[in-house]
Amino acid sequence: MIFLDLLFPPKTNCILCGKMIKEGNICDDCEGKLPFISGNTCIVCGKPIDTGEKCPDCMEHEHIFSRSISAFEYDETMKSLIARFKYYKERNLAEFFAEYMYKYIKDADIKFDVIVPVPLHRARLDQRGYNQAELLARELSYRFDIIMSKPLRRIRNTKSQTEFSREERTKNLKGAFKVVYEDMIKNKTILLVDDVLTTGSTIDECAKVLKESGAKDVFAATIATGRNV
Amino acid sequence: MMIMDKPFLLVAIFLSVGIIISKYLEINIVFLFIILCVSLILSIYTYLERKDSTILLLLAVAIFGMVIGANALYSKGMYDNLDSKLVSFNGIVSDVMVKDGFSKYVLKPKNKEKILITQYGGVFPKDGDLIEVRGIVQLPQGKRNPGGFDYKLFLRKNGITALMSVNGYSVKIIKKNADSIIERLFRNIREKIVENYSVSMPKNDADFVSSVILGEYNVEDDILNSFRITGISHIIAVSGFNFGLLTVFMMFVLNIFHIRRYSAPIIIPLLIIYTLITGSPPSAVRSVIMASMALIASSIGRNNNPINAVSFAAVIILSFNPLMLFDIGFQLSFVATLSILLLYKPVKDILKIKNEKLKEVVSVTVAAQLGTIPITIYSFHNISIISLLPNVIIVPIVSITVILGFLSALIGLIFSPLAVILNMINTPIVELILFLTKIFAEIPHASINISVPPFYLVIFYYTALFIMISSLSKINKLKVTSLILVTSMTILFVSSSIPRNLEITFLDVGQGDSTFLKTPDGENILIDGGGRPEYNGSSFDVGQDILLPYLLYENATLLDAIFISHTDSDHIGGILSILDDVDVKRIFIGRQVQEDENYKRLMYIASKKKIPIFQLSKGDTITIDGIRYYVLSPSSNIINENPINNNALVFKMVYKNVSILFTGDIEKEAENALINDNISSDILKVAHHGSNTSSQKNFIDKVNPKISVIMVGKNNYGQPDGEVVKYLKSKSQLFRTDKDGAVIVDTNGTYIHIKKMVGD
């Protein structure tokens, strides 16, 4: 590891303002400005709400996963950071995000047996070179010392969800995932990992196929959670 | 500038410093090895104690540099005890270069070091041939003159430790294609590509493209020279651009097959193969390491720092071959890359150019040049002052040629006719490049000669550059820069006001005479200029290749006086060749009894350059800077035997209590005429290269020198004569330039201190 650090030394400046820092990825000032989720949150999807237990969305639509935890709100800063993580090859950000996710999941005090990343379609993987959800899952797996498994395949290359409404999203994703082996998930509680949770339809679709294949329960964890659509 | 994120920069710097130290201080290698072990143990200990072991480790790196440097520089060569012996070797031939009438190639005998062979006539072997060669082993010579070329180091850097010069009948080709399969494969690919270029393009164009793509370096000398004058020689090296282009191209192909995420394991081996095909020059090795690191970093999700990567490349190359540090290609490639990485942004911020694209190109060029200028001056003694323009105009065109050249090379390996079409498209573009270069090179004073600056100025220069890019505030930058300026001015002033000695350097110009005087007030005086007889046939020119580099090194391109003893080519040749490159206040020559071709040429150049010429004869006295020159010959009695030699200018130079007798090529007739004059001197420049036609015992007795110097090189005249040498040795301390290299006399007018270039 020390040799890798010598060959490919980690950056020593803040990922947001570029200022030189001693350790870590972000300077104290910038960290203070990150949109951490705090206060009252929806007990299902983890979005911040003013009052009550569930957000209006979750009251209207039943989710298949039991609970989702996010560390940040999906504001402009997070949007650009996650874009850098996903599209601009800044894979080292995985560690940065996972650190906060780890804290939030630990605080939520949930028990799970296996960590599963939301898969990427092969074509996307070829293009991007890596699956960002898998990088996060791996980092979390180190931190919790809980096994990561990749039982899911994305068998359909779905269109980008960003412009879609809730109904269109669900439709778009129908039959997109498949469980390719069940040993690791049968009667297990699963922590699904993805980058952003907006309506939760992607995670729902994954949770559905996982449960169909015998998973006991499904939790989810994402970097950030978007506003309701 | 934080050093934390580029640890290898420090490693590279300390390693280089270690290697440089090993060159100038010969330290016992065993002793060094012990220190290395101690510092390593200490650093491991501090590491285990969880203390900062960085400084100790870097120290160990520097000592490691000293160990490998000393080993590479001073270890005994395998052929050292075969010097001047007739030996035969069997070995594989490589790096064949054929010029008219002779061929130079490298012979690699099994389990032995390489030998550079020059073969005159006969059947020239080709790359990969197994040959048997019989000849006399010669050991390459180190630096012969101050500031001169170190041929021994140059060859050692390439693993060559001996030379052999043979005739065609001493070479027997035993087997064709006797090299290993892999070598043969790469050679065949290379030859096939070169052949594809040469069949479909005019010679100069094909040479250019094969140099750019494969690093062939077989471009004609005049074209090479025009690249140098315009400051764009870098385009004919296999550069980072080639690797960048190949990488982008292969990425594109991988993308088509949707396997882009395997880019590192697929592209890196291909880049390595390309490097091997080019013969792995340092610029290519640097590029392949940097490109591989970028690819690996992106595939394992690590941050790649290009400065760290280029430093790592330097560490790798230097660890395998520490002498590369003294390779001009290595120096330019690494310093240029580092300069671009560090200075590109600061330069771009300062420049005020509207057009963004133009601004980028100019910034890259300026950044690279800022870093490399001192190296260029040190190695070539001149710089191109117009180079910005050709770089901005020609370099972008070259990139088109590179792209077409690569496509044609790749396609040509599979299907030649298509490559021919691409080459036909490429031809006018190459013609344009060569044409533009020629136009730029013809601009008067496009490249100017520059004397070598004192070393501390170079250090100051780089320090100033470093401060410019540091994070200091503007005011502080200004303060530090002016401090540097003031310091260097002070040093310059102080060093020029310290009283200096008279320095007399008897140069090693091979067979011939040339002596250089630096007077206490810094005036420059040249006595004869060497120069080989023209019938030798080689393109080697003593004036341009030895004398001028020496004068530039001594900062002596303004000569206060030239003395010419007589007009034989081995005395006047070098002077004729450099008169256009230096400024001369006056020329002294003996009164001429007959005007030969050399004399006429001298008169012609002198009148063109308006240099006054004074013909001297016995009785004349000249005083320059407190040093007197008493002319003793020619006298009014003309000597008819060998008139040119015997009527040569002979004078006694006197500085305070020290005197030197300069005798040109006089023979016994002239000696006899001088015998009753005041010829007794402390130092004798022995007449006529120690020939037995001069230096009669009674003459030497009369001169009674403490020190005598024979200026002589390899020759067929039996010079110096054994008897003469023996007698001079019995009477004085004898130096000879063929054994000792340049002989440097340093005197304050009373004491004489002598240093020789070789073996001192």
Side-chain angles (χ1 to χ4, degrees), chain A residues 1-13 20-22 89-92 122-123 125-130, chain B residues 1-2 4-8 47 255 257-261 293-294 296-305 308 312:
Chain A
M1 249 357 232
I2 177 147
F3 194 64
L4 264 186
D5 276 347
L6 286 175
L7 278 178
F8 306 107
K11 276 213 166 120
T12 51
N13 34 10
M20 290 294 177
I21 44 173
K22 280 241 163 63
K89 309 242 171 205
E90 291 192 41
R91 298 168 45 164
N92 48 332
R122 260 210 72 147
L125 193 61
D126 286 335
Q127 207 176 34
R128 199 171 292 171
Y130 56 91
Chain B
M1 271 284 286
M2 279 262 281
M4 300 266 285
D5 59 344
K6 27 195 169 291
F8 266 103
Y47 181 76
N255 226 5
F257 295 106
H258 297 294
I259 44 173
R260 192 167 169 162
R261 65 191 158 122
M293 283 179 75
I296 292 171
S298 102
S299 83
I300 62 169
R302 277 281 188 150
N303 169 44
N304 181 44
N305 183 321
N308 195 53
F312 178 68

Side-chain angles (χ1 to χ4, degrees), chain B residues 364-377:
Chain B
V364 169
T365 311
V366 171
Q369 301 233 330
L370 280 175
T372 50
I373 277 179
I375 298 174
T376 320
I377 295 177

